[in-house]
Amino acid sequence: MSVDLQQLLNHFEPISLNDADKARLMNRVDSKFVVSVDKLEEILSEIWSDYQVLSIDGVRNLPYRTKYLDTPDFAMFKAHVNGKLNRYKVRFREYPLTGMRFLESKFKLNRGRTIKKRISRQERIPEENEVEDQFVSEQTPYNREDLETKLYNKFNRISLIHKRVNERITIDTDIHFSLDKEEWKALGDVSVIELKQEQFSRHAGFTRILRKHGIRPVGFSKYCIGVSMLYPDTKINRMKQKILLLNKLTKHLS
């Protein structure tokens, strides 16, 4: 990775975690874009005056850890890649710099909106307990006891918060997947950009900048890509095509 992200991010005004949380957008419309990491220098240089960057203890490219749950037969994965509307994801999300850890559900509505719910968890608390059972059963059509760990994911994330409107941009890089947290498979020099808005606007300034660089929205799920990379027998033609597309876009994905 030849781009010095930290140097690029130094141009942005920092924002604290408490202030950034005011624009969490738990009910939102998402637009995702996939570009090579090298392209970020051009993109970030055009938006630094409009956005603040989340900074924790001086770190602006923050580490994230995720554990994804699914049914034994990958019901949530299959629902996503088959284009089913009103679909779910269940995961544990950990923020190593702060020690915070959450059990989260994501519900993708047929109107294109994403509703995210979460409860705080602690690593020392056994995962199979009544609180988690209740959360999963209330937020999804699944039972916690029917879900199992499918894969682990780690990456670094830049979080940008617009100064004037309720809008966030996240940029994920250094994306890796693992079955056991021992051996990791890298996605390559890929950056996944997600624009999060209260209401979708194709005329948003950031969207126009990406369009100027020839970057268009593309469906992307780290969980589905990870499953396709680590569980070859689960591959569906649509995911094979997605990996070929990513390879074409970035020239780095193996």
Side-chain angles (χ1 to χ4, degrees), residues 206-235:
F206 183 67
T207 305
R208 291 200 303 271
I209 290 171
L210 293 181
R211 191 182 303 122
K212 182 183 72 174
H213 290 283
I215 301 168
R216 298 291 189 272
V218 60
F220 188 93
S221 162
K222 288 192 288 295
Y223 173 58
C224 292
I225 292 294
V227 168
S228 297
M229 292 173 64
L230 299 181
Y231 294 89
D233 292 341
T234 67
K235 283 192 176 179

Side-chain angles (χ1 to χ4, degrees), residues 8 38-47 209 213:
L8 292 173
D38 291 341
K39 197 73 174 175
L40 291 180
E41 183 171 5
E42 299 175 52
I43 296 170
L44 291 175
S45 66
E46 295 189 47
I47 65 173
I209 290 171
H213 290 283

Side-chain angles (χ1 to χ4, degrees), residues 132-150:
E132 292 178 5
D133 291 346
Q134 182 177 356
F135 176 81
V136 172
S137 64
E138 288 180 350
Q139 302 301 330
T140 79
Y142 305 99
N143 295 318
R144 176 67 180 91
E145 62 184 13
D146 297 328
L147 303 181
E148 61 186 28
T149 300
K150 288 301 188 183

Side-chain angles (χ1 to χ4, degrees), residues 8-41:
L8 292 173
L9 295 175
N10 285 339
H11 293 288
F12 288 81
E13 176 186 334
I15 186 172
S16 69
L17 181 60
N18 285 339
D19 289 336
D21 274 348
K22 297 175 184 176
R24 276 193 299 171
L25 288 172
M26 303 292 273
N27 185 332
R28 67 203 185 212
V29 177
D30 302 330
S31 304
K32 294 184 180 180
F33 310 82
V34 180
V35 302
S36 66
V37 173
D38 291 341
K39 197 73 174 175
L40 291 180
E41 183 171 5

